Amino acid sequence: MKRIMLMAAGLGLSCLLAAADIMKLSEVRAGMEGEGKTIFKGSAIETFTFKVLGVLEKFVSDKNLIIAELFAPELNEGGVIAGMSGSPVYIDGKLVGSVSYGLSNFSRKPIAGITPIEDILKVGVAPVAAPSVEITDIKVEFSRENARRVADAIRSELSARMSFSPARQFVPLKLFASSSGFTPESLSFLQGMFVPLQSMAVSSLGQGPQGKEIATRKPGADLFSLRPADAVAIPLIRGDASYTATGTVTHVDGQKVYVFGHPFFNLGTVDFPLHKAEVISVVPSYESSFKLAALRNPVGAVRQDRFSAVLAELGQSAALIPMKIFMKNRNRNFSLEMVSHPLLTPALTYISLMNALQAEYQEFGFQSLRVSGKIFVEGEDNVVLEDLFSGTTAFDEFSTLVMAINYFLMNNREKNARIQKMDFEVSGSETIQKAELENVLIDKTAYLPDELMTVDMKLRNEKGEPFSEKLQIKAPNLKPGTLFYLMVADAAEITDFDAKVIKTAYFPADLGALIRAINNIRRNNRLYLKLFVPAQGIFIRGFEFSSLPASVGSVLLYNSLAKDQAGMALSTVAEYQYEVPAVVSGKKTFKLRIKERKNE
């Protein structure tokens, strides 16, 4: 009956309130005393007492916060405990709300903010919408600098969402992040979002540190059900490595489960797995006491992540993204699955790649990575990555690039892109593989139309050893006397040249066009040979139109103020690429001419 009342939108909130034995906020008075429930160790629910100190009105425009002092031996040493988020509190047997906020200073006195149950229940009738996050208008460029800007924007947005509070003195109780299989360096991306200590790993139920069985539990209905005050966890990553956030159940109504009493990331409609958790111990701290917990069996899926609570449904499952990372020269596989969300997935991809690379190769010093990978997008062409990264920041460059790609894919402007899976094959070495373009030799300064041009590229590797690469390309088919240019350069130089020539904020609105742009990312281990000419051309939505008649150009430039158009003084005639066995850098440019064909 309760579930029917919750799902019937026409009955309104009054019916929802009537369905549960609750105490409305209007009934709460300063000085009232009650009892709360939580788990301090294992899976046994324990009680604590509290006293209402008052109500913080207009915590946000339409929400208030109950302020109370908590009393329990476990709270005496470090105040309100991280991981208690969602712990239900009762007065005269009626559910008042959940312990959700704590003082933002280093106070050891357990003063808590309690989210009223009326606000928590409203999450159950929140509208369902496709997840999307617009955090920036960063251009679709994949230079190291722009990829780093994307990373910084994601980290800043996640951190702001986790710590947001309308009242400076009260902040959401941090969820304890437990991890296994991750290096501390790889998790540094999420530093500050959860408990401000290094995440701690705890062995699975029934397993000792070396995998030896230490206890058993027969399967039963209790493994797949939840009670108020039970510990629950949301694993953001599962598999050969895991990263999990733990909190407490506030209220269970049929298949609906309300947890935390504050937002997780305040992402709205989501699709995350929900697991049971077991509390191992309480760790007191002057800065932030927390519950040390371990992940247990799955019980449902999280559907809403709102300001007043997180809502899950029992018996449901979340659609996760599988990721496989194969270390080819180590014959080592990493298999993971992570939550699918436009903001979280890019960040989780980054820490997963960084962790796998750091686990198999040296954490610091010189390294080179040859990478082959695919990102499978439902209903679209695959994103294909083939490149070489080298230097002390090779791990970060590769991982940051993939993070930026996933961010642009999942936040494209056309539709909700669903990543089906990600596969990467990596060959690593603890050496530098770099080369410098020292000189380029060409056989002439004037060519017939379509005549073969011999280009001899002189390079020097990281050890100072010279080597050369030679190829032939066709001269452009232009009128005699026409000037043209040949640029031989690395990926960054060519990309920078294009950005200066085409001054536009164009971003592919079509997902297919975006994937094509990603697949055309210039690679580190390539030399690019660009032939271009002085020409009055127009760039429109990713395409160059060169040497247009003035009348046609005027028509096309009618909308020249649009962000997807730009006038051009130089136009590309052809572009070639040549693979080099190293990350290459350097640039050479030649001014050439098309000569007249003589009668033979």
Side-chain angles (χ1 to χ4, degrees):
M1 186 64 180
K2 291 180 182 178
R3 187 180 181 189
I4 294 173
M5 296 177 77
L6 276 172
M7 296 181 67
L11 294 180
L13 183 60
S14 61
C15 290
L16 295 177
L17 300 179
D21 193 11
I22 73 164
M23 178 174 285
K24 297 181 180 180
L25 179 64
S26 59
E27 302 174 53
V28 177
R29 298 286 183 272
M32 281 184 166
E33 297 183 356
E35 182 179 81
K37 295 181 179 181
T38 196
I39 294 176
F40 291 118
K41 189 172 184 180
S43 57
I45 295 175
E46 301 181 53
T47 61
F48 58 90
T49 59
F50 71 95
K51 181 178 180 179
V52 176
L53 301 179
V55 175
L56 180 60
E57 295 184 352
K58 301 298 182 183
F59 182 54
V60 291
S61 59
D62 62 341
K63 294 178 175 63
N64 301 316
L65 191 68
I66 302 168
I67 309 301
E69 183 174 357
L70 312 185
F71 303 94
E74 291 83 359
L75 307 178
N76 292 337
E77 296 184 16
V80 186
I81 300 168
M84 285 185 71
S85 294
S87 298
V89 293
Y90 304 82
I91 294 178
D92 297 331
K94 294 183 178 181
L95 179 59
V96 176
S98 73
V99 175
S100 308
Y101 291 80
L103 290 173
S104 58
N105 55 27
F106 288 85
S107 172
R108 292 179 58 190
K109 197 170 186 179
I111 305 297
I114 296 172
T115 302
I117 186 61
E118 293 164 286
D119 290 334
I120 293 173
L121 290 176
K122 289 177 183 177
V123 176
V125 291
V128 176
S132 63
V133 179
E134 184 69 30
I135 63 173
T136 178
D137 59 355
I138 295 174
K139 288 180 63 177
V140 57
E141 293 178 0
F142 296 93
S143 64
R144 295 175 188 175
E145 294 75 17
N146 204 52
R148 178 50 54 194
R149 283 194 289 271
V150 173
D152 292 342
I154 292 173
R155 183 189 288 108
S156 176
E157 181 71 13
L158 287 173
S159 182
R161 286 171 176 270
M162 282 294 288
S163 58
F164 171 75
S165 173
R168 184 183 304 176
Q169 66 271 32
F170 281 95
V171 294
L173 294 177
K174 287 191 174 181
L175 305 172
F176 178 70
S178 57
S179 69
S180 64
F182 276 101
T183 65
E185 289 74 21
S186 64
L187 293 179
S188 63
F189 187 90
L190 300 178
Q191 187 174 1
M193 298 179 199
F194 297 95
V195 171
L197 300 171
Q198 288 295 342
S199 297
M200 304 176 70
V202 181
S203 59
S204 299
L205 179 64
Q207 300 291 317
Q210 284 77 41
K212 297 180 180 179
E213 188 173 316
I214 57 174
T216 59
R217 177 184 294 178
K218 293 182 179 180
D222 64 313
L223 290 178
F224 305 100
S225 62
L226 289 173
R227 307 162 295 174
D230 270 343
V232 289
I234 300 175
L236 299 177
I237 300 172
R238 302 188 307 202
D240 289 340
S242 66
Y243 194 82
T244 302
T246 302
T248 304
V249 174
T250 300
H251 179 57
V252 180
D253 188 358
Q255 298 301 107
K256 290 189 175 182
V257 180
Y258 300 84
V259 302
F260 298 171
H262 61 65
F264 186 22
F265 287 101
N266 203 10
L267 296 172
T269 301
V270 294
D271 187 23
F272 301 159
L274 184 73
H275 284 234
K276 275 198 167 186
E278 183 171 347
V279 178
I280 306 303
S281 180
V282 171
V283 181
S285 167
Y286 285 102
E287 182 180 8
S288 180
S289 299
F290 59 91
K291 291 181 179 181
L292 181 59
L295 186 68
R296 298 301 182 234
N297 58 286
V299 291
V302 176
R303 299 307 191 198
Q304 296 288 337
D305 175 16
R306 302 288 176 177
F307 182 82
S308 296
V310 171
L311 173 68
E313 293 183 7
L314 293 174
Q316 302 297 309
S317 59
L320 303 182
I321 301 174
M323 172 191 269
K324 293 188 181 296
I325 308 168
F326 177 53
M327 305 297 185
K328 187 175 181 181
N329 57 331
R330 300 295 179 93
N331 197 28
R332 172 82 160 88
N333 265 311
F334 286 86
S335 294
L336 307 165
E337 51 183 4
M338 65 187 63
V339 299
S340 177
H341 188 273
L343 190 58
L344 283 175
T345 300
L348 299 176
T349 302
Y350 173 86
I351 67 172
S352 297
L353 288 171
M354 283 291 289
N355 182 67
L357 296 171
Q358 290 172 345
E360 286 302 305
Y361 305 110
Q362 62 180 8
E363 272 183 31
F364 305 103
F366 299 122
Q367 55 245 332
S368 295
L369 299 173
R370 187 170 295 277
V371 177
S372 174
K374 287 184 179 179
I375 300 173
F376 297 80
V377 182
E378 186 176 68
E380 302 290 342
D381 291 338
N382 299 331
V383 173
V384 180
L385 296 171
E386 301 278 351
D387 211 342
L388 177 67
F389 301 84
S390 188
T392 56
T393 60
F395 294 173
D396 183 69
E397 287 176 24
F398 166 53
S399 303
T400 302
L401 174 62
V402 179
M403 174 170 56
I405 288 172
N406 279 345
Y407 169 75
F408 284 120
L409 284 175
M410 301 187 78
N411 291 279
N412 77 90
R413 299 175 184 177
E414 181 191 17
K415 58 185 177 182
N416 183 24
R418 181 173 178 267
I419 296 178
Q420 295 175 308
K421 64 176 182 176
M422 293 179 276
D423 293 338
F424 298 97
E425 183 178 283
V426 180
S427 294
S429 62
E430 296 175 357
T431 59
I432 288 292
Q433 294 177 342
K434 289 189 175 184
E436 179 74 25
L437 178 66
E438 291 194 326
N439 200 7
V440 176
L441 303 178
I442 55 176
D443 49 350
K444 307 176 187 178
T445 58
Y447 294 88
L448 294 171
D450 289 332
E451 183 180 357
L452 289 177
M453 304 168 57
T454 300
V455 183
D456 188 5
M457 299 171 289
K458 304 294 184 181
L459 302 103
R460 193 174 297 274
N461 65 19
E462 71 281 352
K463 296 179 180 179
E465 299 168 345
F467 67 100
S468 63
E469 304 285 347
K470 184 181 291 187
L471 75 159
Q472 289 185 319
I473 59 174
K474 278 187 178 181
N477 187 3
L478 301 171
K479 293 180 180 179
T482 302
L483 292 176
F484 70 98
Y485 296 85
L486 167 65
M487 177 186 290
V488 182
D490 63 74
E493 290 284 1
I494 291 287
T495 301
D496 184 62
F497 173 82
D498 285 348
K500 291 177 180 178
V501 170
I502 306 172
K503 298 183 183 300
T504 175
Y506 169 69
F507 189 105
D510 177 75
L511 179 57
L514 175 61
I515 291 175
R516 287 194 296 274
I518 293 172
N519 285 336
N520 287 329
I521 294 174
R522 295 186 176 97
R523 302 170 185 176
N524 297 324
N525 61 337
R526 301 288 196 276
L527 277 171
Y528 291 86
L529 295 87
K530 179 187 282 287
L531 295 171
F532 59 94
V533 296
Q536 293 299 318
I538 304 173
F539 175 88
I540 303 177
R541 296 184 180 182
F543 295 94
E544 289 186 23
F545 296 89
S546 60
S547 303
L548 294 172
S551 58
V552 177
S554 298
V555 172
L556 290 176
L557 280 174
Y558 181 78
N559 293 321
S560 60
L561 295 179
K563 292 183 178 180
D564 57 3
Q565 297 186 14
M568 298 166 51
L570 298 171
S571 181
T572 300
V573 177
E575 184 176 302
Y576 304 86
Q577 59 177 293
Y578 189 86
E579 184 172 355
V580 178
V583 173
V584 66
S585 61
K587 180 179 75 171
K588 298 293 178 182
T589 305
F590 298 89
K591 184 177 180 180
L592 306 171
R593 180 176 57 84
I594 295 296
K595 64 183 180 180
E596 187 172 356
R597 191 183 300 274
K598 296 180 179 180
N599 294 327
E600 296 180 358

